[in-house]
């Protein structure tokens, strides 16, 4: 008899085409709009390699900064413990910074776009002690279900 795992089949079926073997980007920014709360949430994900290169760890407080003139973003270790905490799941070393968008903050797409994701341009990423600076590639609409 040759049993086939239904769990494995379901797992393969859930993957989006072309994403199975795609390398993990160093930094990704997701923007999601929640109509029920009229809130826009931005999420910055930093790969484990990016976290190591920037010498960041979960629990660190960081400031997310934007340079509108050059269209660069920066996640920088906060001085004095103010800022957003880097979080993440126990099973993953990926760092996650999540915050609500307020007037005056930059967006990667129009405010009421349901879900949009942009990856860092690998050619522009710069690491320093306690910081990572990057520009984003063209944002993509994310049609996957939550």
């Amino acid at each position: 008899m040759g049993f086939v795992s239904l769990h494995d089949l379901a797992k393969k079926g859930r993957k989006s085409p072309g994403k199975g073997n795609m390398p993990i980007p160093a930094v990704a920014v997701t923007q999601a709009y929640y109509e029920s709360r009229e809130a826009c949430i931005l999420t910055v994900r930093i790969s484990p390699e990016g976290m190591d290169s920037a010498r960041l760890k979960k629990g660190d407080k960081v400031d997310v900064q934007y340079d509108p003139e050059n269209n660069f973003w920066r996640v920088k270790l906060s001085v004095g413990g103010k800022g957003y905490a880097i979080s993440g799941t126990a099973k993953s070393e990926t760092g996650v910074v999540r915050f609500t968008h307020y007037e005056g903050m930059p967006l990667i797409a129009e405010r009421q776009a349901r879900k949009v994701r942009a990856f860092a341009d690998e050619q522009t990423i710069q690491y320093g002690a306690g910081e990572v600076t990057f520009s984003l590639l063209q944002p993509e609409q994310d049609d996957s279900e939550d």
Side-chain angles (χ1 to χ4, degrees):
M1 290 189 189
F3 288 99
V4 176
S5 168
L6 298 185
H7 178 268
D8 289 346
L9 291 175
K11 188 174 181 182
K12 286 179 187 174
R14 285 192 300 255
K15 288 185 179 176
S16 299
K19 290 188 178 178
N21 295 326
M22 190 173 162
I24 297 171
V27 182
V29 177
T30 305
Q31 174 185 316
Y33 181 76
Y34 298 94
E35 191 172 345
S36 61
R37 299 184 297 169
E38 295 183 8
C40 185
I41 307 296
L42 288 165
T43 305
V44 179
R45 287 182 174 78
I46 306 171
S47 72
E49 295 80 13
M51 294 282 287
D52 285 344
S53 295
R55 297 185 222 154
L56 296 170
K57 63 185 180 311
K58 290 181 199 171
D60 283 346
K61 294 280 189 161
V62 294
D63 188 15
V64 178
Q65 303 171 342
Y66 180 68
D67 175 359
E69 187 175 313
N70 298 303
N71 201 25
F72 270 84
W73 295 73
R74 178 167 59 184
V75 177
K76 183 175 181 168
L77 199 56
S78 179
V79 178
K82 295 181 182 179
Y84 303 106
I86 297 177
S87 62
T89 65
K91 294 180 181 180
S92 173
E93 295 299 317
T94 299
V96 178
V97 180
R98 184 173 285 118
F99 54 94
T100 302
H101 174 267
Y102 293 101
E103 191 67 35
M105 290 178 158
L107 291 170
I108 62 172
E110 66 179 64
R111 184 173 177 2
Q112 293 184 336
R114 171 61 193 109
K115 193 167 188 182
V116 180
R117 179 172 296 145
F119 299 109
D121 180 350
E122 298 290 332
Q123 304 299 317
T124 66
I125 295 178
Q126 297 178 3
Y127 297 101
E131 69 179 63
V132 56
T133 304
F134 56 94
S135 67
L136 294 173
L137 296 171
Q138 187 66 33
E140 302 171 2
Q141 188 75 29
D142 185 353
D143 296 323
S144 65
E145 295 294 318
D146 288 336

PDB file of all heavy atoms in Angstrom, residues 97-128:
ATOM      1  N   VAL A  97       7.250  44.372  12.633  1.00  0.00           N
ATOM      2  CA  VAL A  97       6.908  45.663  13.229  1.00  0.00           C
ATOM      3  C   VAL A  97       5.562  46.059  12.625  1.00  0.00           C
ATOM      4  O   VAL A  97       5.440  46.186  11.413  1.00  0.00           O
ATOM      5  CB  VAL A  97       7.960  46.747  12.908  1.00  0.00           C
ATOM      6  CG1 VAL A  97       7.572  48.069  13.546  1.00  0.00           C
ATOM      7  CG2 VAL A  97       9.344  46.309  13.357  1.00  0.00           C
ATOM      8  N   ARG A  98       4.546  46.205  13.465  1.00  0.00           N
ATOM      9  CA  ARG A  98       3.197  46.494  12.982  1.00  0.00           C
ATOM     10  C   ARG A  98       2.697  47.771  13.647  1.00  0.00           C
ATOM     11  O   ARG A  98       2.847  47.956  14.853  1.00  0.00           O
ATOM     12  CB  ARG A  98       2.288  45.320  13.328  1.00  0.00           C
ATOM     13  CG  ARG A  98       0.886  45.446  12.814  1.00  0.00           C
ATOM     14  CD  ARG A  98       0.080  44.178  13.054  1.00  0.00           C
ATOM     15  NE  ARG A  98       0.502  43.146  12.111  1.00  0.00           N
ATOM     16  CZ  ARG A  98       1.042  41.978  12.451  1.00  0.00           C
ATOM     17  NH1 ARG A  98       1.232  41.672  13.713  1.00  0.00           N
ATOM     18  NH2 ARG A  98       1.385  41.105  11.542  1.00  0.00           N
ATOM     19  N   PHE A  99       2.081  48.647  12.830  1.00  0.00           N
ATOM     20  CA  PHE A  99       1.547  49.887  13.392  1.00  0.00           C
ATOM     21  C   PHE A  99       0.384  50.398  12.563  1.00  0.00           C
ATOM     22  O   PHE A  99       0.251  50.088  11.380  1.00  0.00           O
ATOM     23  CB  PHE A  99       2.644  50.950  13.522  1.00  0.00           C
ATOM     24  CG  PHE A  99       3.389  51.231  12.247  1.00  0.00           C
ATOM     25  CD1 PHE A  99       2.999  52.257  11.405  1.00  0.00           C
ATOM     26  CD2 PHE A  99       4.496  50.467  11.899  1.00  0.00           C
ATOM     27  CE1 PHE A  99       3.692  52.520  10.237  1.00  0.00           C
ATOM     28  CE2 PHE A  99       5.196  50.724  10.726  1.00  0.00           C
ATOM     29  CZ  PHE A  99       4.792  51.749   9.893  1.00  0.00           C
ATOM     30  N   THR A 100      -0.460  51.193  13.190  1.00  0.00           N
ATOM     31  CA  THR A 100      -1.605  51.813  12.535  1.00  0.00           C
ATOM     32  C   THR A 100      -1.146  53.059  11.798  1.00  0.00           C
ATOM     33  O   THR A 100      -0.339  53.829  12.309  1.00  0.00           O
ATOM     34  CB  THR A 100      -2.678  52.192  13.581  1.00  0.00           C
ATOM     35  OG1 THR A 100      -3.068  50.996  14.276  1.00  0.00           O
ATOM     36  CG2 THR A 100      -3.903  52.823  12.943  1.00  0.00           C
ATOM     37  N   HIS A 101      -1.689  53.256  10.610  1.00  0.00           N
ATOM     38  CA  HIS A 101      -1.372  54.434   9.801  1.00  0.00           C
ATOM     39  C   HIS A 101      -2.180  55.625  10.308  1.00  0.00           C
ATOM     40  O   HIS A 101      -3.376  55.514  10.589  1.00  0.00           O
ATOM     41  CB  HIS A 101      -1.719  54.172   8.334  1.00  0.00           C
ATOM     42  CG  HIS A 101      -1.565  55.387   7.482  1.00  0.00           C
ATOM     43  ND1 HIS A 101      -2.606  56.234   7.216  1.00  0.00           N
ATOM     44  CD2 HIS A 101      -0.477  55.907   6.865  1.00  0.00           C
ATOM     45  CE1 HIS A 101      -2.176  57.225   6.452  1.00  0.00           C
ATOM     46  NE2 HIS A 101      -0.887  57.049   6.222  1.00  0.00           N
ATOM     47  N   TYR A 102      -1.523  56.760  10.430  1.00  0.00           N
ATOM     48  CA  TYR A 102      -2.175  58.021  10.789  1.00  0.00           C
ATOM     49  C   TYR A 102      -1.836  59.058   9.724  1.00  0.00           C
ATOM     50  O   TYR A 102      -0.827  58.933   9.022  1.00  0.00           O
ATOM     51  CB  TYR A 102      -1.714  58.504  12.167  1.00  0.00           C
ATOM     52  CG  TYR A 102      -2.188  57.601  13.281  1.00  0.00           C
ATOM     53  CD1 TYR A 102      -1.335  56.668  13.850  1.00  0.00           C
ATOM     54  CD2 TYR A 102      -3.501  57.671  13.744  1.00  0.00           C
ATOM     55  CE1 TYR A 102      -1.775  55.824  14.862  1.00  0.00           C
ATOM     56  CE2 TYR A 102      -3.944  56.829  14.760  1.00  0.00           C
ATOM     57  CZ  TYR A 102      -3.080  55.906  15.303  1.00  0.00           C
ATOM     58  OH  TYR A 102      -3.513  55.070  16.295  1.00  0.00           O
ATOM     59  N   GLU A 103      -2.669  60.067   9.634  1.00  0.00           N
ATOM     60  CA  GLU A 103      -2.483  61.147   8.658  1.00  0.00           C
ATOM     61  C   GLU A 103      -1.047  61.662   8.718  1.00  0.00           C
ATOM     62  O   GLU A 103      -0.497  61.883   9.785  1.00  0.00           O
ATOM     63  CB  GLU A 103      -3.468  62.282   8.955  1.00  0.00           C
ATOM     64  CG  GLU A 103      -3.531  63.314   7.864  1.00  0.00           C
ATOM     65  CD  GLU A 103      -4.114  62.787   6.563  1.00  0.00           C
ATOM     66  OE1 GLU A 103      -5.016  61.943   6.604  1.00  0.00           O
ATOM     67  OE2 GLU A 103      -3.629  63.227   5.514  1.00  0.00           O
ATOM     68  N   GLY A 104      -0.438  61.815   7.549  1.00  0.00           N
ATOM     69  CA  GLY A 104       0.936  62.307   7.464  1.00  0.00           C
ATOM     70  C   GLY A 104       1.967  61.205   7.288  1.00  0.00           C
ATOM     71  O   GLY A 104       3.091  61.466   6.864  1.00  0.00           O
ATOM     72  N   MET A 105       1.601  59.959   7.621  1.00  0.00           N
ATOM     73  CA  MET A 105       2.516  58.833   7.437  1.00  0.00           C
ATOM     74  C   MET A 105       2.469  58.386   5.977  1.00  0.00           C
ATOM     75  O   MET A 105       1.437  58.496   5.329  1.00  0.00           O
ATOM     76  CB  MET A 105       2.101  57.647   8.319  1.00  0.00           C
ATOM     77  CG  MET A 105       2.295  57.839   9.785  1.00  0.00           C
ATOM     78  SD  MET A 105       1.672  56.331  10.618  1.00  0.00           S
ATOM     79  CE  MET A 105       2.547  56.437  12.147  1.00  0.00           C
ATOM     80  N   PRO A 106       3.579  57.855   5.458  1.00  0.00           N
ATOM     81  CA  PRO A 106       3.572  57.371   4.074  1.00  0.00           C
ATOM     82  C   PRO A 106       2.822  56.049   3.946  1.00  0.00           C
ATOM     83  O   PRO A 106       2.692  55.299   4.918  1.00  0.00           O
ATOM     84  CB  PRO A 106       5.054  57.173   3.767  1.00  0.00           C
ATOM     85  CG  PRO A 106       5.648  56.855   5.090  1.00  0.00           C
ATOM     86  CD  PRO A 106       4.878  57.685   6.095  1.00  0.00           C
ATOM     87  N   LEU A 107       2.333  55.785   2.752  1.00  0.00           N
ATOM     88  CA  LEU A 107       1.692  54.519   2.414  1.00  0.00           C
ATOM     89  C   LEU A 107       2.381  53.951   1.182  1.00  0.00           C
ATOM     90  O   LEU A 107       3.051  54.675   0.445  1.00  0.00           O
ATOM     91  CB  LEU A 107       0.203  54.737   2.110  1.00  0.00           C
ATOM     92  CG  LEU A 107      -0.675  55.130   3.285  1.00  0.00           C
ATOM     93  CD1 LEU A 107      -2.054  55.555   2.794  1.00  0.00           C
ATOM     94  CD2 LEU A 107      -0.806  53.971   4.264  1.00  0.00           C
ATOM     95  N   ILE A 108       2.177  52.675   0.922  1.00  0.00           N
ATOM     96  CA  ILE A 108       2.747  52.073  -0.280  1.00  0.00           C
ATOM     97  C   ILE A 108       1.711  51.982  -1.400  1.00  0.00           C
ATOM     98  O   ILE A 108       2.050  51.626  -2.530  1.00  0.00           O
ATOM     99  CB  ILE A 108       3.380  50.696   0.013  1.00  0.00           C
ATOM    100  CG1 ILE A 108       2.350  49.689   0.511  1.00  0.00           C
ATOM    101  CG2 ILE A 108       4.524  50.858   1.004  1.00  0.00           C
ATOM    102  CD1 ILE A 108       2.886  48.266   0.618  1.00  0.00           C
ATOM    103  N   ALA A 109       0.454  52.278  -1.108  1.00  0.00           N
ATOM    104  CA  ALA A 109      -0.636  52.278  -2.092  1.00  0.00           C
ATOM    105  C   ALA A 109      -1.715  53.222  -1.563  1.00  0.00           C
ATOM    106  O   ALA A 109      -1.552  53.817  -0.496  1.00  0.00           O
ATOM    107  CB  ALA A 109      -1.190  50.875  -2.275  1.00  0.00           C
ATOM    108  N   GLU A 110      -2.821  53.344  -2.287  1.00  0.00           N
ATOM    109  CA  GLU A 110      -3.882  54.212  -1.779  1.00  0.00           C
ATOM    110  C   GLU A 110      -4.410  53.641  -0.460  1.00  0.00           C
ATOM    111  O   GLU A 110      -4.374  52.442  -0.226  1.00  0.00           O
ATOM    112  CB  GLU A 110      -4.999  54.393  -2.802  1.00  0.00           C
ATOM    113  CG  GLU A 110      -5.776  53.137  -3.120  1.00  0.00           C
ATOM    114  CD  GLU A 110      -6.868  53.404  -4.126  1.00  0.00           C
ATOM    115  OE1 GLU A 110      -6.543  53.772  -5.259  1.00  0.00           O
ATOM    116  OE2 GLU A 110      -8.046  53.237  -3.756  1.00  0.00           O
ATOM    117  N   ARG A 111      -4.855  54.508   0.409  1.00  0.00           N
ATOM    118  CA  ARG A 111      -5.205  54.150   1.780  1.00  0.00           C
ATOM    119  C   ARG A 111      -6.196  53.002   1.884  1.00  0.00           C
ATOM    120  O   ARG A 111      -6.085  52.145   2.736  1.00  0.00           O
ATOM    121  CB  ARG A 111      -5.762  55.379   2.510  1.00  0.00           C
ATOM    122  CG  ARG A 111      -6.075  55.109   3.993  1.00  0.00           C
ATOM    123  CD  ARG A 111      -6.451  56.377   4.700  1.00  0.00           C
ATOM    124  NE  ARG A 111      -6.844  56.423   6.052  1.00  0.00           N
ATOM    125  CZ  ARG A 111      -6.948  55.506   6.973  1.00  0.00           C
ATOM    126  NH1 ARG A 111      -6.664  54.292   6.699  1.00  0.00           N
ATOM    127  NH2 ARG A 111      -7.328  55.738   8.196  1.00  0.00           N
ATOM    128  N   GLN A 112      -7.193  52.965   1.036  1.00  0.00           N
ATOM    129  CA  GLN A 112      -8.233  51.960   1.185  1.00  0.00           C
ATOM    130  C   GLN A 112      -7.996  50.705   0.352  1.00  0.00           C
ATOM    131  O   GLN A 112      -8.905  49.899   0.179  1.00  0.00           O
ATOM    132  CB  GLN A 112      -9.598  52.573   0.890  1.00  0.00           C
ATOM    133  CG  GLN A 112      -9.961  53.604   1.951  1.00  0.00           C
ATOM    134  CD  GLN A 112     -11.352  54.182   1.773  1.00  0.00           C
ATOM    135  OE1 GLN A 112     -11.898  54.193   0.688  1.00  0.00           O
ATOM    136  NE2 GLN A 112     -11.908  54.669   2.855  1.00  0.00           N
ATOM    137  N   ALA A 113      -6.777  50.508  -0.118  1.00  0.00           N
ATOM    138  CA  ALA A 113      -6.440  49.266  -0.818  1.00  0.00           C
ATOM    139  C   ALA A 113      -6.533  48.124   0.188  1.00  0.00           C
ATOM    140  O   ALA A 113      -5.996  48.218   1.292  1.00  0.00           O
ATOM    141  CB  ALA A 113      -5.038  49.348  -1.403  1.00  0.00           C
ATOM    142  N   ARG A 114      -7.232  47.060  -0.158  1.00  0.00           N
ATOM    143  CA  ARG A 114      -7.479  45.962   0.788  1.00  0.00           C
ATOM    144  C   ARG A 114      -6.179  45.367   1.335  1.00  0.00           C
ATOM    145  O   ARG A 114      -5.966  45.293   2.518  1.00  0.00           O
ATOM    146  CB  ARG A 114      -8.341  44.881   0.119  1.00  0.00           C
ATOM    147  CG  ARG A 114      -8.485  43.609   0.903  1.00  0.00           C
ATOM    148  CD  ARG A 114      -9.148  43.827   2.270  1.00  0.00           C
ATOM    149  NE  ARG A 114      -8.980  42.638   3.080  1.00  0.00           N
ATOM    150  CZ  ARG A 114      -8.189  42.543   4.133  1.00  0.00           C
ATOM    151  NH1 ARG A 114      -7.502  43.571   4.547  1.00  0.00           N
ATOM    152  NH2 ARG A 114      -8.076  41.429   4.796  1.00  0.00           N
ATOM    153  N   LYS A 115      -5.290  44.903   0.447  1.00  0.00           N
ATOM    154  CA  LYS A 115      -4.016  44.357   0.917  1.00  0.00           C
ATOM    155  C   LYS A 115      -2.989  44.488  -0.198  1.00  0.00           C
ATOM    156  O   LYS A 115      -3.189  44.005  -1.303  1.00  0.00           O
ATOM    157  CB  LYS A 115      -4.164  42.895   1.333  1.00  0.00           C
ATOM    158  CG  LYS A 115      -2.967  42.389   2.111  1.00  0.00           C
ATOM    159  CD  LYS A 115      -3.273  41.066   2.772  1.00  0.00           C
ATOM    160  CE  LYS A 115      -2.167  40.666   3.698  1.00  0.00           C
ATOM    161  NZ  LYS A 115      -2.415  39.366   4.310  1.00  0.00           N
ATOM    162  N   VAL A 116      -1.899  45.156   0.122  1.00  0.00           N
ATOM    163  CA  VAL A 116      -0.830  45.410  -0.842  1.00  0.00           C
ATOM    164  C   VAL A 116       0.498  45.073  -0.175  1.00  0.00           C
ATOM    165  O   VAL A 116       0.691  45.354   1.008  1.00  0.00           O
ATOM    166  CB  VAL A 116      -0.838  46.895  -1.286  1.00  0.00           C
ATOM    167  CG1 VAL A 116       0.261  47.168  -2.286  1.00  0.00           C
ATOM    168  CG2 VAL A 116      -2.187  47.280  -1.848  1.00  0.00           C
ATOM    169  N   ARG A 117       1.407  44.485  -0.955  1.00  0.00           N
ATOM    170  CA  ARG A 117       2.718  44.114  -0.419  1.00  0.00           C
ATOM    171  C   ARG A 117       3.808  44.625  -1.344  1.00  0.00           C
ATOM    172  O   ARG A 117       3.673  44.567  -2.557  1.00  0.00           O
ATOM    173  CB  ARG A 117       2.803  42.596  -0.289  1.00  0.00           C
ATOM    174  CG  ARG A 117       4.142  42.108   0.232  1.00  0.00           C
ATOM    175  CD  ARG A 117       4.136  40.637   0.527  1.00  0.00           C
ATOM    176  NE  ARG A 117       3.182  40.402   1.594  1.00  0.00           N
ATOM    177  CZ  ARG A 117       2.425  39.305   1.689  1.00  0.00           C
ATOM    178  NH1 ARG A 117       2.508  38.359   0.797  1.00  0.00           N
ATOM    179  NH2 ARG A 117       1.604  39.159   2.691  1.00  0.00           N
ATOM    180  N   ALA A 118       4.888  45.108  -0.749  1.00  0.00           N
ATOM    181  CA  ALA A 118       6.057  45.545  -1.522  1.00  0.00           C
ATOM    182  C   ALA A 118       7.301  44.962  -0.861  1.00  0.00           C
ATOM    183  O   ALA A 118       7.392  44.913   0.367  1.00  0.00           O
ATOM    184  CB  ALA A 118       6.139  47.063  -1.570  1.00  0.00           C
ATOM    185  N   PHE A 119       8.228  44.537  -1.699  1.00  0.00           N
ATOM    186  CA  PHE A 119       9.480  43.973  -1.206  1.00  0.00           C
ATOM    187  C   PHE A 119      10.597  44.990  -1.378  1.00  0.00           C
ATOM    188  O   PHE A 119      10.567  45.818  -2.280  1.00  0.00           O
ATOM    189  CB  PHE A 119       9.836  42.692  -1.970  1.00  0.00           C
ATOM    190  CG  PHE A 119       8.800  41.616  -1.811  1.00  0.00           C
ATOM    191  CD1 PHE A 119       7.989  41.263  -2.871  1.00  0.00           C
ATOM    192  CD2 PHE A 119       8.622  40.973  -0.601  1.00  0.00           C
ATOM    193  CE1 PHE A 119       7.018  40.278  -2.725  1.00  0.00           C
ATOM    194  CE2 PHE A 119       7.659  39.997  -0.442  1.00  0.00           C
ATOM    195  CZ  PHE A 119       6.859  39.642  -1.512  1.00  0.00           C
ATOM    196  N   ALA A 120      11.578  44.899  -0.500  1.00  0.00           N
ATOM    197  CA  ALA A 120      12.734  45.788  -0.599  1.00  0.00           C
ATOM    198  C   ALA A 120      13.520  45.467  -1.860  1.00  0.00           C
ATOM    199  O   ALA A 120      13.645  44.306  -2.257  1.00  0.00           O
ATOM    200  CB  ALA A 120      13.634  45.618   0.623  1.00  0.00           C
ATOM    201  N   ASP A 121      14.027  46.503  -2.482  1.00  0.00           N
ATOM    202  CA  ASP A 121      14.931  46.342  -3.613  1.00  0.00           C
ATOM    203  C   ASP A 121      16.272  45.902  -3.034  1.00  0.00           C
ATOM    204  O   ASP A 121      16.936  46.681  -2.346  1.00  0.00           O
ATOM    205  CB  ASP A 121      15.053  47.668  -4.364  1.00  0.00           C
ATOM    206  CG  ASP A 121      15.976  47.596  -5.559  1.00  0.00           C
ATOM    207  OD1 ASP A 121      16.690  46.580  -5.725  1.00  0.00           O
ATOM    208  OD2 ASP A 121      15.989  48.575  -6.324  1.00  0.00           O
ATOM    209  N   GLU A 122      16.638  44.659  -3.287  1.00  0.00           N
ATOM    210  CA  GLU A 122      17.862  44.084  -2.690  1.00  0.00           C
ATOM    211  C   GLU A 122      19.107  44.912  -3.016  1.00  0.00           C
ATOM    212  O   GLU A 122      20.076  44.902  -2.268  1.00  0.00           O
ATOM    213  CB  GLU A 122      18.050  42.637  -3.149  1.00  0.00           C
ATOM    214  CG  GLU A 122      16.932  41.694  -2.724  1.00  0.00           C
ATOM    215  CD  GLU A 122      16.897  41.404  -1.230  1.00  0.00           C
ATOM    216  OE1 GLU A 122      17.954  41.450  -0.572  1.00  0.00           O
ATOM    217  OE2 GLU A 122      15.805  41.141  -0.713  1.00  0.00           O
ATOM    218  N   GLN A 123      19.082  45.636  -4.132  1.00  0.00           N
ATOM    219  CA  GLN A 123      20.231  46.449  -4.535  1.00  0.00           C
ATOM    220  C   GLN A 123      20.410  47.682  -3.640  1.00  0.00           C
ATOM    221  O   GLN A 123      21.479  48.280  -3.616  1.00  0.00           O
ATOM    222  CB  GLN A 123      20.078  46.913  -5.989  1.00  0.00           C
ATOM    223  CG  GLN A 123      19.893  45.785  -6.977  1.00  0.00           C
ATOM    224  CD  GLN A 123      21.064  44.822  -7.004  1.00  0.00           C
ATOM    225  OE1 GLN A 123      22.215  45.240  -6.980  1.00  0.00           O
ATOM    226  NE2 GLN A 123      20.776  43.538  -7.036  1.00  0.00           N
ATOM    227  N   THR A 124      19.361  48.075  -2.922  1.00  0.00           N
ATOM    228  CA  THR A 124      19.425  49.303  -2.127  1.00  0.00           C
ATOM    229  C   THR A 124      19.566  49.060  -0.627  1.00  0.00           C
ATOM    230  O   THR A 124      19.764  50.009   0.126  1.00  0.00           O
ATOM    231  CB  THR A 124      18.165  50.166  -2.347  1.00  0.00           C
ATOM    232  OG1 THR A 124      17.017  49.476  -1.819  1.00  0.00           O
ATOM    233  CG2 THR A 124      17.967  50.479  -3.819  1.00  0.00           C
ATOM    234  N   ILE A 125      19.467  47.828  -0.188  1.00  0.00           N
ATOM    235  CA  ILE A 125      19.504  47.553   1.256  1.00  0.00           C
ATOM    236  C   ILE A 125      20.881  47.855   1.822  1.00  0.00           C
ATOM    237  O   ILE A 125      21.902  47.435   1.277  1.00  0.00           O
ATOM    238  CB  ILE A 125      19.116  46.097   1.561  1.00  0.00           C
ATOM    239  CG1 ILE A 125      17.659  45.851   1.167  1.00  0.00           C
ATOM    240  CG2 ILE A 125      19.324  45.772   3.037  1.00  0.00           C
ATOM    241  CD1 ILE A 125      17.194  44.442   1.375  1.00  0.00           C
ATOM    242  N   GLN A 126      20.874  48.597   2.929  1.00  0.00           N
ATOM    243  CA  GLN A 126      22.105  48.902   3.651  1.00  0.00           C
ATOM    244  C   GLN A 126      21.879  48.586   5.120  1.00  0.00           C
ATOM    245  O   GLN A 126      20.857  48.987   5.695  1.00  0.00           O
ATOM    246  CB  GLN A 126      22.475  50.376   3.496  1.00  0.00           C
ATOM    247  CG  GLN A 126      22.774  50.771   2.075  1.00  0.00           C
ATOM    248  CD  GLN A 126      23.078  52.256   1.960  1.00  0.00           C
ATOM    249  OE1 GLN A 126      23.117  52.991   2.936  1.00  0.00           O
ATOM    250  NE2 GLN A 126      23.304  52.702   0.744  1.00  0.00           N
ATOM    251  N   TYR A 127      22.814  47.875   5.714  1.00  0.00           N
ATOM    252  CA  TYR A 127      22.734  47.513   7.124  1.00  0.00           C
ATOM    253  C   TYR A 127      23.762  48.303   7.910  1.00  0.00           C
ATOM    254  O   TYR A 127      24.865  48.541   7.436  1.00  0.00           O
ATOM    255  CB  TYR A 127      23.004  46.019   7.321  1.00  0.00           C
ATOM    256  CG  TYR A 127      21.987  45.129   6.638  1.00  0.00           C
ATOM    257  CD1 TYR A 127      22.275  44.514   5.424  1.00  0.00           C
ATOM    258  CD2 TYR A 127      20.746  44.917   7.201  1.00  0.00           C
ATOM    259  CE1 TYR A 127      21.357  43.704   4.799  1.00  0.00           C
ATOM    260  CE2 TYR A 127      19.809  44.111   6.584  1.00  0.00           C
ATOM    261  CZ  TYR A 127      20.123  43.502   5.380  1.00  0.00           C
ATOM    262  OH  TYR A 127      19.194  42.708   4.754  1.00  0.00           O
ATOM    263  N   GLY A 128      23.364  48.690   9.098  1.00  0.00           N
ATOM    264  CA  GLY A 128      24.272  49.327  10.039  1.00  0.00           C
ATOM    265  C   GLY A 128      23.977  48.734  11.403  1.00  0.00           C
ATOM    266  O   GLY A 128      23.048  47.951  11.563  1.00  0.00           O
TER     267      GLY A 128
END
